[in-house]
Structure formats: structure tokens, C-alpha cells
Amino acid sequence: MRDERVRVAAGLRGVTLAVAVLPLAAGCIGQPQTLARADIVGTWTEGDTGTLLFKDDGTVVVTNLAEFDNDGDKVSECSGTGEWGASPDDREADKVWTTVCDGNPWEFGGSKAHPKMRRSVGDPDNGDVQTLRRK
């Protein structure tokens, strides 16, 4: 009988631990990603939605970045050279902006190992996003 009570008690402790940890893990999933300036530098692209090349000197080269109408349909592409910056600062950015093309800012997601950035396109109520991943 004692062995059975020990097994039941151990099982309840495991369930209690799992229930206590689950909200903590779930809370981390929805948290925005933060990157340092050095993590942002490089080429970001995805499929045929265009490319952003962020340089360490604060310049950005945009190539064929898809632009969308209010319905979220691709209507044109934008290319050019300008400046970029991170906010809130260079050490913990959760957004990046550029002076080239519309649709800023870009928000970070994914993981440190596999970051992605996305921006809302079209009517924000529709929930359409454009996503780029670092090469």
C-alpha cells in the first residue's frame, strides 16, 4: 500500500510541475523577438517578395520589395538605397525601419537562430503580413 501511495504522490508532483511550467512556456511563444544591430546586418529575403540588404554603416539596399494595395494584393515593387535603424535601440531591437519604400516598421519574430521579420500589408484588420528571413 505504501508503494502505491509513493507512486501516486510522485505522479501528482509531476502533474503539478507540468501545470506550473506550461503557462511560462506558453507565455514565451507569444513574446516578440529582440535582435541586436549586429543580428540585423545581412540579407533578408523570402521567395519573390524582395530583398533587403542591411549594412553595418546604417545603409540599406532594397531590391524588388513587393508593395501591396489595401486588399493585400501585390501591385508593384520598390527598389532603392537609403538608411535603416532599429528601435528601441541597437542592443535590443524588436523593430527596424528604413527610409526606402512604404510599410514600415518591420517587426521581429522567429528565434535567435532563425529570425524573421514581418510587416503588415494591406488593411491591418485583414491580418496579411509580408515575411522575410535572414539568409
Side-chain angles (χ1 to χ4, degrees), residues 5-74:
R5 283 186 296 201
V6 169
R7 279 195 304 269
V8 169
L12 289 175
R13 273 188 241 126
V15 168
T16 302
L17 179 62
V19 169
V21 170
L22 185 60
L24 294 174
C28 293
I29 293 170
Q31 297 297 318
Q33 183 63 255
T34 58
L35 298 176
R37 185 178 185 90
D39 297 323
I40 300 166
V41 171
T43 302
W44 295 73
T45 190
E46 184 71 20
D48 64 349
T49 62
T51 302
L52 299 176
L53 170 58
F54 294 98
K55 297 183 179 182
D56 193 35
D57 67 359
T59 58
V60 61
V61 178
V62 179
T63 307
N64 300 328
L65 184 64
E67 293 187 317
F68 301 85
D69 64 14
N70 208 30
D71 293 326
D73 297 321
K74 181 178 173 182

